[in-house]
Amino acid sequence: MTLIVAQLSETELLARIFPRLHSGTSMLLGPGDDAAIIAAPDARTVISIDTQVQDKDFRLLWPNGSASSGFDVGWKAAAQNLSDINAMGAVATAMVISLTLPGPTPVSWVEEFAEGLSAATVALGAGQCSMAGGDLSGGNEIVVTVAVTGSLQGRQPVLRSGAKPGDRLAVCGNVGQAAAGWALQESPLDPARHTAAMAAAAQLFARPQPPLAAGPAAALAGASAMLDISDGLLRDAGRIGTASAVALDFDGQALQALAEKLRESANALGLDPLAWVLTGGEDHGLLCAFPASATLPAGFFEIGSVVSFESSATGLTVDGRNFEGASGGARGWDHFAV
């Protein structure tokens, strides 16, 4: 018989969660009191928060018959939040988690969630980040909210607003892989028919691999602007353009090189891989602007340049030509789009 959340008290459920949470080096007082205490030697705290809602941000069962395990949802919750800290050029220090759970949720799913959260934090290179506690509540669907704090370690933060004409644009991490994985999960194609590349895309959608060492490295290399690619390259590039009052010109050949990595998945579904590169999100790579004189850190791939806004009617161009978007004008993920 499967043990479910409704059969345990909050105290009993927490007793199953706490031992599975990673304890990093920054926690001075962890779970058990009304609030945790985290060391902040930089005297500044970077903080970010993200929410995942069942059937909006993840599915327990996908149309192709595969399931999202608690481990997968926990991994993604950690990855997307750690990536936001990374995008500031900071290093994560602490994490707090809020879980809303329907009564019929298997306790094993919750245990796996905690294990996935911890495993991602360590595997992605944020072992110093402490899981300091959180909150539990009941509801009609699973809702996961994670807040992460970080330290700049004496560096200045890298904002979206510092890009200047003449800067080079570069990405680090996966671009479009998660979108390909999502499309495969949403399709009726049997996962048993996936090639190795297709299986890898599905895995990267379930368990993103943000390049957590790249954010501080970009800051040290003099990056002028940076953000996490969570809602699609076009949408997020537009955010740098708006914040910096500049336009961005992409290199068409560089974009095609990224698209070719997705060719097998696109062919299997009859889709254009370039649309995934341009409008897909949830890879949690980095988009950065670097001064022309800067040396790009390891792992960064140049994809364009920053130009003056007056030279672009749309703010986004490809090889100098105005660009209106892809996939019927879609620019990326919007939580409130109909």
Side-chain angles (χ1 to χ4, degrees), residues 264-327:
E264 282 189 29
S265 298
N267 287 346
L269 299 176
L271 299 173
D272 179 4
L274 183 59
W276 289 335
V277 169
L278 295 174
T279 65
E282 296 199 339
D283 282 302
H284 302 293
L286 294 176
L287 174 64
C288 295
F290 290 94
S293 60
T295 299
L296 297 185
F300 278 88
F301 175 64
E302 191 165 350
I303 62 167
S305 60
V306 179
V307 297
S308 64
F309 190 79
E310 291 77 12
S311 66
S312 167
T314 64
L316 296 173
T317 57
V318 177
D319 296 333
R321 296 186 295 274
N322 287 338
F323 184 74
E324 297 299 333
S327 300

Side-chain angles (χ1 to χ4, degrees), residues 83-320:
S83 184
D84 283 336
I85 299 299
N86 186 44
M88 301 295 290
V91 173
T93 54
M95 183 182 296
V96 291
I97 308 101
S98 174
L99 269 180
T100 300
L101 299 166
T105 306
V107 172
S108 60
W109 193 96
V110 183
E111 293 172 339
E112 290 170 5
F113 170 84
E115 290 164 0
L117 200 73
S118 296
T121 300
V122 174
L124 295 173
Q128 74 287 336
C129 180
S130 303
M131 295 183 181
D135 184 51
L136 289 177
S137 184
N140 295 325
E141 57 196 2
I142 298 175
V143 181
V144 179
T145 299
V146 175
V148 180
T149 61
S151 171
L152 290 162
Q153 298 180 325
R155 296 181 292 272
Q156 290 302 308
V158 184
L159 310 179
R160 301 177 178 185
S161 55
K164 296 177 176 59
D167 285 354
R168 293 183 289 166
L169 289 175
V171 294
C172 185
N174 296 305
V175 182
Q177 290 281 1
W182 176 83
L184 289 166
Q185 296 289 74
E186 286 284 322
S187 81
L189 187 64
D190 185 348
R193 297 175 55 192
H194 289 180
T195 66
M198 293 161 65
Q203 178 74 351
L204 286 169
F205 169 68
R207 302 181 189 181
Q209 300 283 327
L212 297 188
L220 290 171
S224 56
M226 179 162 57
L227 52 59
D228 156 71
I229 308 173
S230 56
D231 296 330
L233 182 60
L234 289 182
R235 184 176 292 277
D236 288 324
R239 289 165 174 158
I240 285 182
T242 298
S244 299
V246 296
L248 306 181
D249 182 44
F250 294 103
D251 181 319
Q253 288 188 332
L255 295 179
Q256 285 294 342
L258 293 172
E260 284 306 309
K261 298 179 181 179
L262 310 172
R263 180 63 62 184
E264 282 189 29
S265 298
N267 287 346
L269 299 176
L271 299 173
D272 179 4
L274 183 59
W276 289 335
V277 169
L278 295 174
T279 65
E282 296 199 339
D283 282 302
H284 302 293
L286 294 176
L287 174 64
C288 295
F290 290 94
S293 60
T295 299
L296 297 185
F300 278 88
F301 175 64
E302 191 165 350
I303 62 167
S305 60
V306 179
V307 297
S308 64
F309 190 79
E310 291 77 12
S311 66
S312 167
T314 64
L316 296 173
T317 57
V318 177
D319 296 333

